[in-house]
Amino acid sequence: RGYLIAAPSVFRSGVEEAISVTIFNSVKETTVQIQLVVKGETVSRSHGTVLDKGTIKLKVPSGLRGQAHLKVWGNRHLAEEGYIFHNYTTVTIDSKGSSVFIQTDKPVYKPKQKVLINLFMVTSDLRPVNDRVKKTVFFHTVKYDGILGSLHFVQMY
């Protein structure tokens, strides 16, 4: 008998996170409860029943940032067997950010060829950012390594 809980080490504020639960050699459904605790206060909770494997979603409230405890426990009716397991770990809550993807018109360039670039931003759940963002991109160092060119440093302002 045993269990495995798989969860991200970094949670995103305002995003629904998935926690995977596996209970080995399970003979009955187990109620699994999850809490996200910040500074001793439960800020989010969720639960579900698991027989062998399952996923439980946990909504991380907006505006949180920093360290939190992720507490997970599984139980059956106390009249039967009581708690099967309980455990916790520390996770980091990061603000809901965006990522910038850089796409070029071809994978390899020859010296002095024109490089066409497409930049696009997505939210942490990989949806396009709707806001118009005006950024200037400066390529500080572009180093040509033999046949394959590689971009070594990009900075955005």
Side-chain angles (χ1 to χ4, degrees):
R1 287 170 80 106
Y3 65 95
L4 172 69
I5 309 295
S9 61
V10 177
F11 283 24
R12 296 279 187 174
S13 181
V15 172
E16 187 176 66
E17 299 287 356
I19 290 93
S20 175
V21 179
T22 302
I23 302 173
F24 301 111
N25 302 319
S26 179
V27 291
K28 293 183 181 179
E29 279 192 335
T30 300
T31 301
V32 177
Q33 298 183 45
I34 299 174
Q35 286 184 347
L36 189 62
V37 179
V38 176
K39 296 180 182 172
E41 180 185 342
T42 301
V43 295
S44 182
R45 66 180 71 210
S46 186
H47 69 279
T49 55
V50 175
L51 178 63
D52 294 326
K53 297 178 185 178
T55 301
I56 299 173
K57 304 278 187 174
L58 180 70
K59 177 74 174 165
V60 180
S62 296
L64 292 180
R65 197 175 162 98
Q67 300 295 305
H69 281 96
L70 179 66
K71 296 182 177 184
V72 181
W73 66 95
N75 60 7
R76 297 198 183 106
H77 296 291
L78 291 175
E80 291 177 24
E81 296 177 38
Y83 286 105
I84 299 174
F85 63 87
H86 68 279
N87 213 331
Y88 75 94
T89 189
T90 301
V91 295
T92 301
I93 302 174
D94 208 354
S95 61
K96 189 175 179 182
S98 57
S99 298
V100 177
F101 288 91
I102 302 173
Q103 180 181 35
T104 59
D105 63 323
K106 45 181 146 169
V108 180
Y109 295 90
K110 293 179 182 169
K112 300 187 183 197
Q113 277 188 316
K114 187 176 185 179
V115 178
L116 300 177
I117 297 173
N118 184 27
L119 299 173
F120 58 97
M121 291 179 62
V122 294
T123 61
S124 60
D125 55 354
L126 298 179
R127 297 182 192 271
V129 172
N130 291 329
D131 302 335
R132 265 187 95 74
V133 179
K134 187 175 182 179
K135 297 281 184 186
T136 304
V137 179
F138 293 98
F139 294 94
H140 286 281
T141 305
V142 177
K143 184 178 179 184
Y144 187 73
D145 295 333
I147 297 172
L148 298 175
S150 63
L151 185 62
H152 288 278
F153 186 77
V154 177
Q155 187 170 354
M156 292 185 66
Y157 297 96

